Amino acid sequence: IGKGAKLACVAVAVMSMAGWGWHNLRQSNGLHFSSSWNGENLLRGNDTGAYRIYPEISLDRVMDSTQATIGDGSLVPLGDYSRKYSFADEWSWDAYYREMALAWMQRNPATALCFFLKKLWVTLFEIRHTPTYSSATEKLPLYSPGATILMAAWMLVARFGMFALIARALWDGIRRREAAKLWIVALVFAACLPYTLAFAYERHVVPILVFSGTLFAVLYGSAHKELGA
């Protein structure tokens, strides 16, 4: 990829973020480059009830339910947060839930660490479909057993593609001193990072896996053909 193409990509990214920031500044009198959903999503991934039901039950239930029943039959109290408050605008809503999440992490550092490790596992290694259930109390699987097996098989292959890309890029970057390849590793982990801080399900991870597998095929599939020729 030439220098001009790289600069064009950077320019598109910068212009997109600047446009989004300008829009938010006009609408809210505050400079925001992210989504106003981030505060609520952060709370879903940093809450005692959420920790106990994740990844079995959808974390949407933290916001709209008072309790959930997990696999061993235990009842888990949930916050039912969305029914308790109203906000002046979307950014006050974002800030309120973000502060709740940060306060919970400060009060519960050990649980927050365990929750982080759960989310890290789901983001990087889990092949089963998550969440298993959408309802807080009814154990109705989202997919048939056959579809669940097929999705797990696809995830296994896709996980292999992601780690093959990471391993090959690390080899090229460290052993062959191709420093640019290390940016591939950084890019994959940067894509995963938000989901380890908030929460991840299969639907969040799939785009990262597709990107990783496609990049591996483009970069190293063509290199293999050239060596074979």
Side-chain angles (χ1 to χ4, degrees):
I1 301 175
K3 184 177 180 180
K6 293 178 181 178
L7 290 175
C9 291
V10 172
V12 169
V14 170
M15 290 173 62
S16 299
M17 294 300 295
W20 178 243
W22 175 248
H23 166 77
N24 287 330
L25 180 62
R26 291 182 60 191
Q27 297 296 319
S28 66
N29 295 319
L31 191 60
H32 306 281
F33 291 103
S34 61
S35 167
S36 57
W37 276 96
N38 287 350
E40 182 175 317
N41 285 333
L42 189 64
L43 179 63
R44 293 175 196 227
N46 293 278
D47 172 84
T48 301
Y51 169 69
R52 293 190 62 192
I53 69 172
Y54 180 81
E56 178 185 350
I57 297 173
S58 171
L59 292 180
D60 290 347
R61 304 291 78 81
V62 172
M63 306 305 297
D64 61 19
S65 302
T66 57
Q67 65 180 22
T69 305
I70 55 177
D72 64 2
S74 301
L75 292 178
V76 177
L78 300 178
D80 194 20
Y81 298 115
S82 63
R83 300 178 184 275
K84 295 183 178 180
Y85 307 100
S86 59
F87 304 96
D89 57 41
E90 62 181 303
W91 295 107
S92 61
W93 164 62
D94 169 72
Y96 182 82
Y97 286 127
R98 182 178 65 250
E99 292 303 319
M100 283 186 66
L102 294 175
W104 180 84
M105 285 187 273
Q106 291 177 347
R107 294 193 307 269
N108 304 275
T111 306
L113 176 60
C114 291
F115 204 168
F116 169 79
L117 294 176
K118 269 191 179 185
K119 293 179 285 188
L120 186 67
W121 172 265
V122 173
T123 302
L124 295 179
F125 302 105
E126 182 64 79
I127 64 169
R128 296 171 298 177
H129 180 270
T130 52
T132 307
Y133 308 108
S134 178
S135 170
T137 55
E138 297 179 359
K139 299 305 177 188
L140 301 174
L142 294 174
Y143 298 97
S144 67
T148 300
I149 292 172
L150 286 175
M151 287 189 289
W154 185 92
M155 286 290 287
L156 181 62
V157 173
R159 292 287 190 194
F160 175 81
M162 182 184 75
F163 283 108
L165 174 68
I166 292 171
R168 181 61 187 271
L170 285 172
W171 174 268
D172 289 346
I174 296 172
R175 297 300 298 270
R176 301 176 66 179
R177 301 192 182 282
E178 298 177 14
K181 295 293 179 64
L182 296 178
W183 284 105
I184 295 174
V185 180
L187 183 62
V188 172
F189 282 104
C192 294
L193 180 62
Y195 300 114
T196 62
L197 298 178
F199 65 93
Y201 287 128
E202 182 181 78
R203 66 178 185 269
H204 302 120
V205 178
V206 164
I208 301 173
L209 298 179
V210 171
F211 166 79
S212 299
T214 302
L215 190 58
F216 181 77
V218 169
L219 291 178
Y220 297 110
S222 59
H224 178 73
K225 289 178 181 178
E226 290 173 3
L227 290 173

mmCIF file of all heavy atoms in Angstrom, residues 123-152:
data_model
loop_
_atom_site.group_PDB
_atom_site.id
_atom_site.type_symbol
_atom_site.label_atom_id
_atom_site.label_comp_id
_atom_site.label_asym_id
_atom_site.label_seq_id
_atom_site.Cartn_x
_atom_site.Cartn_y
_atom_site.Cartn_z
ATOM 1 N N THR A 123 -14.323 -12.692 24.588
ATOM 2 C CA THR A 123 -13.830 -11.919 23.453
ATOM 3 C C THR A 123 -12.792 -12.691 22.650
ATOM 4 O O THR A 123 -12.819 -12.673 21.410
ATOM 5 C CB THR A 123 -13.223 -10.591 23.929
ATOM 6 O OG1 THR A 123 -14.211 -9.859 24.660
ATOM 7 C CG2 THR A 123 -12.776 -9.742 22.749
ATOM 8 N N LEU A 124 -11.885 -13.388 23.323
ATOM 9 C CA LEU A 124 -10.747 -13.994 22.631
ATOM 10 C C LEU A 124 -10.866 -15.496 22.383
ATOM 11 O O LEU A 124 -10.288 -15.996 21.409
ATOM 12 C CB LEU A 124 -9.458 -13.741 23.419
ATOM 13 C CG LEU A 124 -8.993 -12.297 23.542
ATOM 14 C CD1 LEU A 124 -7.717 -12.215 24.358
ATOM 15 C CD2 LEU A 124 -8.783 -11.671 22.159
ATOM 16 N N PHE A 125 -11.608 -16.227 23.223
ATOM 17 C CA PHE A 125 -11.528 -17.684 23.149
ATOM 18 C C PHE A 125 -12.862 -18.417 23.004
ATOM 19 O O PHE A 125 -12.881 -19.504 22.433
ATOM 20 C CB PHE A 125 -10.819 -18.223 24.401
ATOM 21 C CG PHE A 125 -9.442 -17.659 24.600
ATOM 22 C CD1 PHE A 125 -9.205 -16.695 25.580
ATOM 23 C CD2 PHE A 125 -8.382 -18.069 23.810
ATOM 24 C CE1 PHE A 125 -7.942 -16.165 25.768
ATOM 25 C CE2 PHE A 125 -7.106 -17.550 23.995
ATOM 26 C CZ PHE A 125 -6.891 -16.598 24.962
ATOM 27 N N GLU A 126 -13.939 -17.886 23.516
ATOM 28 C CA GLU A 126 -15.209 -18.615 23.555
ATOM 29 C C GLU A 126 -15.687 -18.973 22.145
ATOM 30 O O GLU A 126 -15.656 -18.142 21.239
ATOM 31 C CB GLU A 126 -16.272 -17.763 24.257
ATOM 32 C CG GLU A 126 -17.623 -18.446 24.395
ATOM 33 C CD GLU A 126 -17.555 -19.672 25.285
ATOM 34 O OE1 GLU A 126 -17.535 -19.510 26.518
ATOM 35 O OE2 GLU A 126 -17.507 -20.796 24.717
ATOM 36 N N ILE A 127 -16.135 -20.246 21.961
ATOM 37 C CA ILE A 127 -16.698 -20.645 20.670
ATOM 38 C C ILE A 127 -18.194 -20.924 20.764
ATOM 39 O O ILE A 127 -18.868 -20.988 19.738
ATOM 40 C CB ILE A 127 -15.971 -21.873 20.080
ATOM 41 C CG1 ILE A 127 -16.167 -23.107 20.962
ATOM 42 C CG2 ILE A 127 -14.492 -21.575 19.873
ATOM 43 C CD1 ILE A 127 -15.700 -24.401 20.307
ATOM 44 N N ARG A 128 -18.716 -21.084 21.977
ATOM 45 C CA ARG A 128 -20.156 -21.292 22.120
ATOM 46 C C ARG A 128 -20.893 -19.991 21.852
ATOM 47 O O ARG A 128 -20.357 -18.907 22.069
ATOM 48 C CB ARG A 128 -20.480 -21.786 23.530
ATOM 49 C CG ARG A 128 -19.895 -23.146 23.863
ATOM 50 C CD ARG A 128 -20.084 -23.459 25.331
ATOM 51 N NE ARG A 128 -19.382 -22.489 26.166
ATOM 52 C CZ ARG A 128 -19.417 -22.473 27.493
ATOM 53 N NH1 ARG A 128 -20.154 -23.358 28.139
ATOM 54 N NH2 ARG A 128 -18.749 -21.566 28.169
ATOM 55 N N HIS A 129 -22.139 -20.122 21.385
ATOM 56 C CA HIS A 129 -22.920 -18.909 21.140
ATOM 57 C C HIS A 129 -23.260 -18.236 22.466
ATOM 58 O O HIS A 129 -23.672 -18.889 23.426
ATOM 59 C CB HIS A 129 -24.227 -19.228 20.405
ATOM 60 C CG HIS A 129 -25.051 -18.019 20.143
ATOM 61 N ND1 HIS A 129 -26.004 -17.558 21.019
ATOM 62 C CD2 HIS A 129 -25.035 -17.144 19.113
ATOM 63 C CE1 HIS A 129 -26.548 -16.459 20.538
ATOM 64 N NE2 HIS A 129 -25.987 -16.195 19.380
ATOM 65 N N THR A 130 -23.058 -16.937 22.512
ATOM 66 C CA THR A 130 -23.430 -16.155 23.691
ATOM 67 C C THR A 130 -24.278 -14.969 23.260
ATOM 68 O O THR A 130 -24.036 -14.400 22.192
ATOM 69 C CB THR A 130 -22.167 -15.627 24.407
ATOM 70 O OG1 THR A 130 -21.327 -14.945 23.463
ATOM 71 C CG2 THR A 130 -21.382 -16.758 25.031
ATOM 72 N N PRO A 131 -25.285 -14.577 24.073
ATOM 73 C CA PRO A 131 -25.738 -15.256 25.288
ATOM 74 C C PRO A 131 -26.537 -16.512 24.958
ATOM 75 O O PRO A 131 -27.024 -16.670 23.832
ATOM 76 C CB PRO A 131 -26.623 -14.203 25.951
ATOM 77 C CG PRO A 131 -27.207 -13.440 24.797
ATOM 78 C CD PRO A 131 -26.098 -13.384 23.776
ATOM 79 N N THR A 132 -26.711 -17.383 25.953
ATOM 80 C CA THR A 132 -27.502 -18.591 25.745
ATOM 81 C C THR A 132 -28.990 -18.274 25.782
ATOM 82 O O THR A 132 -29.764 -18.836 25.002
ATOM 83 C CB THR A 132 -27.170 -19.635 26.833
ATOM 84 O OG1 THR A 132 -25.749 -19.842 26.859
ATOM 85 C CG2 THR A 132 -27.865 -20.948 26.546
ATOM 86 N N TYR A 133 -29.373 -17.363 26.684
ATOM 87 C CA TYR A 133 -30.783 -17.023 26.858
ATOM 88 C C TYR A 133 -30.980 -15.516 26.788
ATOM 89 O O TYR A 133 -30.142 -14.744 27.262
ATOM 90 C CB TYR A 133 -31.300 -17.536 28.205
ATOM 91 C CG TYR A 133 -31.030 -18.994 28.453
ATOM 92 C CD1 TYR A 133 -30.078 -19.401 29.391
ATOM 93 C CD2 TYR A 133 -31.714 -19.972 27.739
ATOM 94 C CE1 TYR A 133 -29.817 -20.740 29.615
ATOM 95 C CE2 TYR A 133 -31.453 -21.320 27.959
ATOM 96 C CZ TYR A 133 -30.505 -21.699 28.895
ATOM 97 O OH TYR A 133 -30.246 -23.023 29.115
ATOM 98 N N SER A 134 -32.116 -15.129 26.233
ATOM 99 C CA SER A 134 -32.474 -13.711 26.194
ATOM 100 C C SER A 134 -33.314 -13.329 27.407
ATOM 101 O O SER A 134 -33.186 -12.232 27.941
ATOM 102 C CB SER A 134 -33.242 -13.399 24.916
ATOM 103 O OG SER A 134 -33.644 -12.048 24.887
ATOM 104 N N SER A 135 -34.165 -14.247 27.849
ATOM 105 C CA SER A 135 -35.050 -13.986 28.977
ATOM 106 C C SER A 135 -34.294 -14.082 30.303
ATOM 107 O O SER A 135 -33.339 -14.856 30.442
ATOM 108 C CB SER A 135 -36.209 -14.986 28.982
ATOM 109 O OG SER A 135 -36.964 -14.904 30.175
ATOM 110 N N ALA A 136 -34.744 -13.308 31.282
ATOM 111 C CA ALA A 136 -34.123 -13.349 32.608
ATOM 112 C C ALA A 136 -34.513 -14.601 33.380
ATOM 113 O O ALA A 136 -33.762 -15.062 34.249
ATOM 114 C CB ALA A 136 -34.523 -12.109 33.405
ATOM 115 N N THR A 137 -35.671 -15.166 33.082
ATOM 116 C CA THR A 137 -36.175 -16.275 33.895
ATOM 117 C C THR A 137 -36.484 -17.535 33.096
ATOM 118 O O THR A 137 -36.400 -18.646 33.626
ATOM 119 C CB THR A 137 -37.456 -15.848 34.649
ATOM 120 O OG1 THR A 137 -38.414 -15.347 33.703
ATOM 121 C CG2 THR A 137 -37.143 -14.756 35.663
ATOM 122 N N GLU A 138 -36.846 -17.410 31.818
ATOM 123 C CA GLU A 138 -37.227 -18.579 31.022
ATOM 124 C C GLU A 138 -36.006 -19.142 30.292
ATOM 125 O O GLU A 138 -35.272 -18.404 29.639
ATOM 126 C CB GLU A 138 -38.309 -18.209 30.011
ATOM 127 C CG GLU A 138 -39.609 -17.749 30.656
ATOM 128 C CD GLU A 138 -40.653 -17.368 29.618
ATOM 129 O OE1 GLU A 138 -40.334 -17.448 28.402
ATOM 130 O OE2 GLU A 138 -41.770 -17.011 30.011
ATOM 131 N N LYS A 139 -35.802 -20.449 30.402
ATOM 132 C CA LYS A 139 -34.651 -21.094 29.772
ATOM 133 C C LYS A 139 -35.025 -21.593 28.376
ATOM 134 O O LYS A 139 -35.173 -22.786 28.121
ATOM 135 C CB LYS A 139 -34.143 -22.247 30.650
ATOM 136 C CG LYS A 139 -33.683 -21.804 32.022
ATOM 137 C CD LYS A 139 -32.623 -20.702 31.937
ATOM 138 C CE LYS A 139 -32.201 -20.187 33.281
ATOM 139 N NZ LYS A 139 -31.320 -19.008 33.193
ATOM 140 N N LEU A 140 -35.208 -20.650 27.475
ATOM 141 C CA LEU A 140 -35.548 -20.957 26.092
ATOM 142 C C LEU A 140 -34.343 -20.624 25.219
ATOM 143 O O LEU A 140 -34.032 -19.444 25.012
ATOM 144 C CB LEU A 140 -36.765 -20.138 25.651
ATOM 145 C CG LEU A 140 -38.050 -20.355 26.473
ATOM 146 C CD1 LEU A 140 -39.128 -19.382 26.015
ATOM 147 C CD2 LEU A 140 -38.524 -21.803 26.329
ATOM 148 N N PRO A 141 -33.638 -21.641 24.707
ATOM 149 C CA PRO A 141 -32.454 -21.380 23.883
ATOM 150 C C PRO A 141 -32.802 -20.532 22.668
ATOM 151 O O PRO A 141 -33.892 -20.644 22.093
ATOM 152 C CB PRO A 141 -32.002 -22.789 23.473
ATOM 153 C CG PRO A 141 -32.570 -23.697 24.520
ATOM 154 C CD PRO A 141 -33.880 -23.079 24.912
ATOM 155 N N LEU A 142 -31.875 -19.689 22.260
ATOM 156 C CA LEU A 142 -32.108 -18.802 21.123
ATOM 157 C C LEU A 142 -32.075 -19.554 19.797
ATOM 158 O O LEU A 142 -32.696 -19.116 18.826
ATOM 159 C CB LEU A 142 -31.045 -17.697 21.113
ATOM 160 C CG LEU A 142 -31.095 -16.720 22.296
ATOM 161 C CD1 LEU A 142 -29.913 -15.761 22.245
ATOM 162 C CD2 LEU A 142 -32.404 -15.944 22.282
ATOM 163 N N TYR A 143 -31.349 -20.690 19.737
ATOM 164 C CA TYR A 143 -31.202 -21.429 18.488
ATOM 165 C C TYR A 143 -31.372 -22.922 18.737
ATOM 166 O O TYR A 143 -31.219 -23.404 19.858
ATOM 167 C CB TYR A 143 -29.829 -21.155 17.855
ATOM 168 C CG TYR A 143 -29.613 -19.711 17.499
ATOM 169 C CD1 TYR A 143 -28.911 -18.868 18.356
ATOM 170 C CD2 TYR A 143 -30.128 -19.184 16.326
ATOM 171 C CE1 TYR A 143 -28.724 -17.528 18.044
ATOM 172 C CE2 TYR A 143 -29.948 -17.842 15.999
ATOM 173 C CZ TYR A 143 -29.241 -17.031 16.860
ATOM 174 O OH TYR A 143 -29.069 -15.705 16.549
ATOM 175 N N SER A 144 -31.658 -23.645 17.669
ATOM 176 C CA SER A 144 -31.791 -25.098 17.760
ATOM 177 C C SER A 144 -30.430 -25.730 18.042
ATOM 178 O O SER A 144 -29.384 -25.117 17.782
ATOM 179 C CB SER A 144 -32.347 -25.645 16.449
ATOM 180 O OG SER A 144 -31.398 -25.478 15.403
ATOM 181 N N PRO A 145 -30.402 -26.974 18.539
ATOM 182 C CA PRO A 145 -29.117 -27.643 18.786
ATOM 183 C C PRO A 145 -28.253 -27.723 17.530
ATOM 184 O O PRO A 145 -27.029 -27.526 17.602
ATOM 185 C CB PRO A 145 -29.530 -29.026 19.277
ATOM 186 C CG PRO A 145 -30.886 -28.821 19.888
ATOM 187 C CD PRO A 145 -31.550 -27.770 19.048
ATOM 188 N N GLY A 146 -28.866 -28.006 16.395
ATOM 189 C CA GLY A 146 -28.092 -28.096 15.152
ATOM 190 C C GLY A 146 -27.444 -26.783 14.782
ATOM 191 O O GLY A 146 -26.251 -26.734 14.421
ATOM 192 N N ALA A 147 -28.212 -25.690 14.867
ATOM 193 C CA ALA A 147 -27.660 -24.370 14.547
ATOM 194 C C ALA A 147 -26.568 -23.990 15.537
ATOM 195 O O ALA A 147 -25.550 -23.387 15.157
ATOM 196 C CB ALA A 147 -28.772 -23.328 14.558
ATOM 197 N N THR A 148 -26.755 -24.359 16.794
ATOM 198 C CA THR A 148 -25.751 -24.049 17.820
ATOM 199 C C THR A 148 -24.433 -24.756 17.526
ATOM 200 O O THR A 148 -23.346 -24.173 17.662
ATOM 201 C CB THR A 148 -26.280 -24.455 19.210
ATOM 202 O OG1 THR A 148 -27.489 -23.735 19.485
ATOM 203 C CG2 THR A 148 -25.254 -24.149 20.284
ATOM 204 N N ILE A 149 -24.505 -26.021 17.095
ATOM 205 C CA ILE A 149 -23.300 -26.778 16.764
ATOM 206 C C ILE A 149 -22.597 -26.171 15.554
ATOM 207 O O ILE A 149 -21.368 -26.021 15.527
ATOM 208 C CB ILE A 149 -23.651 -28.255 16.507
ATOM 209 C CG1 ILE A 149 -24.103 -28.925 17.816
ATOM 210 C CG2 ILE A 149 -22.453 -29.002 15.917
ATOM 211 C CD1 ILE A 149 -24.658 -30.312 17.635
ATOM 212 N N LEU A 150 -23.371 -25.799 14.537
ATOM 213 C CA LEU A 150 -22.781 -25.193 13.339
ATOM 214 C C LEU A 150 -22.104 -23.866 13.669
ATOM 215 O O LEU A 150 -21.009 -23.573 13.168
ATOM 216 C CB LEU A 150 -23.866 -24.981 12.275
ATOM 217 C CG LEU A 150 -24.363 -26.230 11.558
ATOM 218 C CD1 LEU A 150 -25.521 -25.876 10.625
ATOM 219 C CD2 LEU A 150 -23.223 -26.894 10.784
ATOM 220 N N MET A 151 -22.725 -23.051 14.531
ATOM 221 C CA MET A 151 -22.124 -21.767 14.908
ATOM 222 C C MET A 151 -20.836 -21.983 15.698
ATOM 223 O O MET A 151 -19.852 -21.258 15.500
ATOM 224 C CB MET A 151 -23.123 -20.937 15.717
ATOM 225 C CG MET A 151 -24.245 -20.353 14.878
ATOM 226 S SD MET A 151 -25.276 -19.158 15.760
ATOM 227 C CE MET A 151 -26.143 -20.240 16.892
ATOM 228 N N ALA A 152 -20.841 -22.996 16.579
ATOM 229 C CA ALA A 152 -19.629 -23.284 17.348
ATOM 230 C C ALA A 152 -18.501 -23.756 16.428
ATOM 231 O O ALA A 152 -17.335 -23.380 16.610
ATOM 232 C CB ALA A 152 -19.921 -24.329 18.417
#
